[in-house]
Amino acid sequence: MTVDVVVLGLGYVGLPLAREASRAGMSVLGFDVDSRVVDSLNAAQSHVDDVSDDDMAAMLRAGFRATADESEIATADAAVICVPTPLSPTGGPDLRAVESAVHAVARHLRPGMLVVLESTTYPGTTDELVRPILEKSGLAAGTDFHLAFSPERIDPGNEHFGVRNTPKVVGGHTPACTDRAADFYGRFIDTVVRTKGTREAETAKLLENTYRHINIALVNEMAKFCHQLGVDLWDVIRAAATKPFGFQAFYPGPGVGGHCIPIDPNYLSHNVRAKLGYPFRFVELAEEINATMPAYVARRAQNVLNDAGKAINGARVLLLGVTYKPNVADQRVSPASTLARRLADLGAVLSYHDPRVTHWEIGGVEVPRAGDLESAVAEADLVILVQNHREYDADRLAGLAKQFFDTRGATTVDEAYRL
Ligand SMILES: NC(=O)c1ccc[n+]([C@@H]2O[C@H](COP(=O)([O-])OP(=O)(O)OC[C@H]3O[C@@H](n4cnc5c(N)ncnc54)[C@H](O)[C@@H]3O)[C@@H](O)[C@H]2O)c1
């Protein structure tokens, strides 16, 4: 019994991909090393925001199955690798999950198979790391099996763009590998964009995220001096964004979070430094600026309390929204954690509210969760809007609060202080 595709790594990237392929009528197997993930998915319980339990049930009805048994990889015509690519303790790429997944595929590689890496990584990974491991099987890429890189572009929580309608970039080891990968993705994705090779596809993803990282740093730096100059940067951006060409709006905030923006540009800068010996200065500067934002927000919070004649030491500070982006439950690398640490260091008595987070710890210490939103807002000495989830009516909450500091530009009322 063969399947059309095995997806390795059933997380924020792999699971929506598996769902889309399954919806398109393909037979899909999921492989994950975490047996809890495998068991819960087989019981129709999703751990990913954008995939509901109903979606899981529909996938299972359509024949999807998750497994932790790597020998089943051999039953697939295509293997798509969607495992994590975090940073090592020294700030460089940590490709251990990719290596381990590729070894698993290599042990079960069959002639004619298509192997695609989707995990975000530095240019050259597919050719220099993935290909040699696969070729240890005795089969040659481009001749005996097809090999490609196709960056994942999933944007968790995005209601308009998902796997199907986000164009898919594909670069093969050979032109035939590109064709094979493009045909594969064309079965369940509307638009496929081909690059010259794997390195271009790898770098395209890093350019996208580096571009965002740098532009966020630009407005973060501007936020600081605009505040001092008495210029409302939110109004500036709103006005600039009316230009129908040549400008894209980015917004300041309490810091960058998640597993892409603070991490992926490092894959590129680390690679440039390691291979060429010089820095990627834009990335390093952007990192420096973005990393200052939680401390800057903490200082501004202190000033807001000061305006009201209150010291931050002992003040009750309520944080609204502690995830790394709005309308998702994902807390990975959330700037709220760094901000909370700063505020706690200054003596603030913290609590938080987040409709999607039931338990939140900072440095191993649980932060009390506010039950009723409006009474918690009214009681706190200072409320900081950290993440503007759709449940929040920022203007109304600002009206209820003693002091309200909006780090997301969500308020229009005079009562609110804005970043
Ligand atoms: N989450 C996003 O928004 C996003 C967007 C674009 C790109 N990416 C990239 O996609 C990749 C995957 O990220 P994610 O957010 O889906 O990660 P994730 O942590 O949500 O999921 C990864 C899954 O892979 C599993 N896994 C780890 N090692 C494995 C192995 N050797 N074999 C099989 N399964 C293994 C884990 O158990 C986990 O279930 C990363 O390179 C990331 O940078 C993520």
Side-chain angles (χ1 to χ4, degrees):
M1 175 76 177
T2 60
V3 292
D4 291 321
V5 56
V6 57
V7 177
L8 290 92
L10 299 170
Y12 281 85
V13 167
L15 200 56
L17 182 87
R19 176 185 58 188
E20 217 50 58
S22 172
R23 275 180 183 162
M26 295 167 73
S27 49
V28 184
L29 178 70
F31 170 77
D32 203 292
V33 288
D34 187 336
S35 55
R36 285 166 312 174
V37 167
V38 167
D39 291 344
S40 63
L41 295 180
N42 284 333
Q45 277 162 12
S46 166
H47 60 299
V48 167
D49 284 309
D50 292 344
V51 177
S52 68
D53 291 351
D54 287 349
D55 290 340
M56 274 319 305
M59 283 168 71
L60 293 166
R61 281 196 301 277
F64 172 85
R65 198 165 47 79
T67 182
D69 173 4
E70 68 160 62
S71 69
E72 295 198 52
I73 295 170
T75 64
D77 290 338
V80 180
I81 300 169
C82 305
V83 298
T85 45
L87 295 180
S88 68
T90 53
D94 175 354
L95 289 173
R96 282 175 301 175
V98 170
E99 285 178 39
S100 141
V102 176
H103 276 293
V105 174
R107 287 190 285 272
H108 304 284
L109 193 63
R110 286 183 298 105
M113 236 165 130
L114 166 68
V115 182
V116 187
L117 177 64
E118 290 213 1
S119 304
T120 305
T121 184
Y122 58 79
T125 307
T126 310
D127 191 38
E128 294 159 20
L129 184 105
V130 175
R131 187 168 64 86
I133 297 174
L134 293 173
E135 290 188 338
K136 277 198 188 126
S137 64
L139 301 176
T143 315
D144 302 315
F145 67 95
H146 290 117
L147 175 63
F149 183 83
S150 178
E152 180 43 63
R153 284 172 151 175
I154 201 93
D155 181 20
N158 191 319
E159 287 164 7
H160 305 293
F161 291 101
V163 172
R164 175 168 273 282
N165 64 353
T166 304
K168 192 89 174 101
V169 171
V170 170
H173 175 60
T174 62
C177 291
T178 307
D179 288 344
R180 171 83 186 279
D183 287 349
F184 166 75
Y185 284 113
R187 291 173 69 182
F188 60 98
I189 293 177
D190 296 342
T191 310
V192 175
V193 181
R194 294 157 193 248
T195 58
K196 282 171 84 171
T198 51
R199 282 179 174 74
E200 286 73 20
E202 288 161 340
T203 313
K205 169 73 188 182
L206 295 176
L207 171 61
E208 291 165 17
N209 281 357
T210 302
Y211 166 82
R212 281 180 58 207
H213 189 50
I214 288 170
N215 280 289
I216 293 167
L218 171 69
V219 284
N220 275 338
E221 188 171 29
M222 287 187 73
K224 294 181 184 175
F225 66 69
C226 281
H227 174 66
Q228 285 189 293
L229 294 173
V231 175
D232 183 338
L233 180 61
W234 302 98
D235 203 40
V236 172
I237 298 170
R238 187 184 58 76
T242 59
K243 188 178 182 188
F245 49 87
F247 182 84
Q248 192 189 345
F250 287 86
Y251 299 94
V256 288
H259 24 74
C260 291
I261 301 302
I263 292 171
D264 299 350
N266 285 286
Y267 268 71
L268 196 48
S269 58
H270 193 273
N271 194 240
V272 170
R273 218 182 245 285
K275 282 194 176 147
L276 306 173
Y278 52 80
F280 183 2
R281 288 179 296 160
F282 260 121
V283 165
E284 295 185 0
L285 179 63
E287 251 159 31
E288 197 184 306
I289 293 170
N290 287 334
T292 63
M293 292 312 287
Y296 174 73
V297 168
R299 201 165 56 248
R300 288 281 304 277
Q302 193 171 11
N303 293 345
V304 170
L305 282 162
N306 192 44
D307 279 355
K310 259 198 108 50
I312 194 160
N313 193 350
R316 289 163 302 168
V317 177
L318 171 69
L319 303 180
L320 299 185
V322 297
T323 56
Y324 87 89
K325 66 190 295 192
N327 309 322
V328 299
D330 194 345
Q331 296 171 48
R332 291 182 288 180
V333 204
S334 172
S337 302
T338 324
L339 172 62
R341 248 179 245 124
R342 292 275 172 177
L343 294 166
D345 287 348
L346 293 167
V349 180
L350 296 177
S351 59
Y352 83 99
H353 177 277
D354 194 307
R356 289 166 185 77
V357 179
T358 50
H359 179 88
W360 195 46
E361 283 184 8
I362 298 300
V365 180
E366 187 171 352
V367 181
R369 181 175 196 256
D372 180 62
L373 172 63
E374 295 202 347
S375 53
V377 164
E379 277 160 26
D381 297 312
L382 171 66
V383 178
I384 307 180
L385 181 68
V386 186
Q387 205 55 264
N388 189 26
H389 290 308
R390 66 169 76 87
E391 289 82 357
Y392 297 146
D393 176 344
D395 278 345
R396 178 173 163 75
L397 295 175
L400 294 172
K402 293 191 180 87
Q403 306 293 333
F404 194 90
F405 182 23
D406 167 15
T407 69
R408 294 291 175 184
T411 47
T412 56
V413 293
D414 289 341
E415 290 95 321
Y417 288 80
R418 299 207 287 172
L419 183 66

